[in-house]
Amino acid sequence: FVKNSRNWATTARPTASTFKAYAVAAGLKDGFSLLSRFNGNTFIPPGESTPVRNEFSNQYGPSVTLTRATADSINTAFVDLTTRMEDGPSKIMKMAQAAGAPKGAGWSERDSRIPLGTAEVSPLNQAGAYATFANDGTFVANHVVKEVRDPRKKIIYKANPEERRAVNEDIAHDVTYALSNVIEEGTGRAVATLDRPIAGKTGTKDRKNKDGSGDIVS
């Protein structure tokens, strides 16, 4: 603390591919399904001049399901999804905010690559927003103390955090299923050995993995 008093848990920074979870939810709300197919190869999005590529320029084929795109964190498929939704970036941003991620730096309603994670969110808010999907689509505001009891176990304080419906249960369950595939057969297999049901998303900001995070919900 003396050397660095910054609270990194509450400091917003680029989310990298962990932001893709909100794109999944927004796509499902917009009428797509986990079986909907998107471009897994390098391509130039409509109205742009710069190609969108996958990590290491991997090519996954012209048609990959949203489930596989999530499991393998396929950038091109998520940009394709975004461009195929009317006002796609805006819908993804609204979904992220509904889940509990407050708008911050790097959020742009005109950026078709927003699922790739230039949008900044703090680890605390990111974990809270992911918890919304695990909680059947109901957002509960972040809080540390649930309740306090006296020596006789009488409750003398009980938290009363904001609660609201963010997405319907079906969408929340589908998002969680897609994120479980990340752990079972995708980029998050490293934590598959934990003895509990797990769903989550990896996110890499740079090759040294100094930023970005894998947020786990279960």
Side-chain angles (χ1 to χ4, degrees):
F1 181 85
V2 173
K3 291 182 178 179
N4 187 344
S5 60
R6 180 187 295 274
N7 185 344
W8 288 102
T10 59
T11 300
R13 52 191 187 271
T15 52
S17 288
T18 61
F19 208 78
K20 288 174 180 172
Y22 310 126
V24 174
L28 294 172
K29 185 177 180 181
D30 204 53
F32 292 101
S33 78
L34 294 180
L35 297 178
S36 296
R37 292 182 170 272
F38 302 95
N39 194 345
N41 292 335
T42 300
F43 78 104
I44 299 176
E48 300 185 22
S49 58
T50 303
V52 57
R53 295 182 173 84
N54 297 309
E55 187 176 23
F56 308 120
S57 294
N58 287 337
Q59 307 296 313
Y60 295 90
S63 179
V64 296
T65 66
L66 185 55
T67 300
R68 188 189 175 196
T70 306
D72 290 336
S73 202
I74 302 175
N75 292 341
T76 56
F78 276 93
V79 175
D80 189 21
L81 166 64
T82 304
T83 60
R84 286 168 60 180
M85 289 190 289
E86 185 177 357
D87 298 323
S90 178
K91 288 178 178 176
I92 294 170
M93 287 172 52
K94 288 178 181 177
M95 178 58 68
Q97 290 174 289
K103 184 178 179 180
W107 294 54
S108 173
E109 295 181 349
R110 295 181 296 276
D111 186 3
S112 66
R113 303 173 197 234
I114 194 168
L116 310 188
T118 57
E120 295 188 4
V121 182
S122 73
L124 175 62
N125 286 328
Q126 186 77 326
Y130 265 55
T132 296
F133 300 123
N135 194 36
D136 298 325
T138 297
F139 164 80
V140 179
N142 298 327
H143 56 289
V144 176
V145 179
K146 179 179 180 180
E147 64 182 28
V148 177
R149 295 175 180 260
D150 67 13
R152 296 181 180 180
K153 297 186 177 181
K154 178 182 177 181
I155 296 176
I156 58 177
Y157 168 81
K158 188 175 181 66
N160 184 30
E162 175 193 358
E163 294 188 26
R164 54 177 165 75
R165 170 64 60 184
V167 294
N168 66 47
E169 289 188 12
D170 288 342
I171 290 177
H173 294 168
D174 280 354
V175 171
T176 301
Y177 173 78
L179 295 178
S180 71
N181 278 265
V182 176
I183 309 303
E184 294 172 5
E185 56 187 54
T187 56
R189 287 187 295 270
V191 297
T193 56
L194 295 176
D195 188 22
R196 62 182 298 176
I198 304 172
K201 184 72 190 74
T202 55
T204 305
K205 177 63 170 61
D206 58 37
R207 292 184 183 274
K208 294 181 179 180
N209 233 0
K210 294 164 67 175
D211 264 327
S213 58
D215 295 286
I216 304 302
V217 295
S218 60

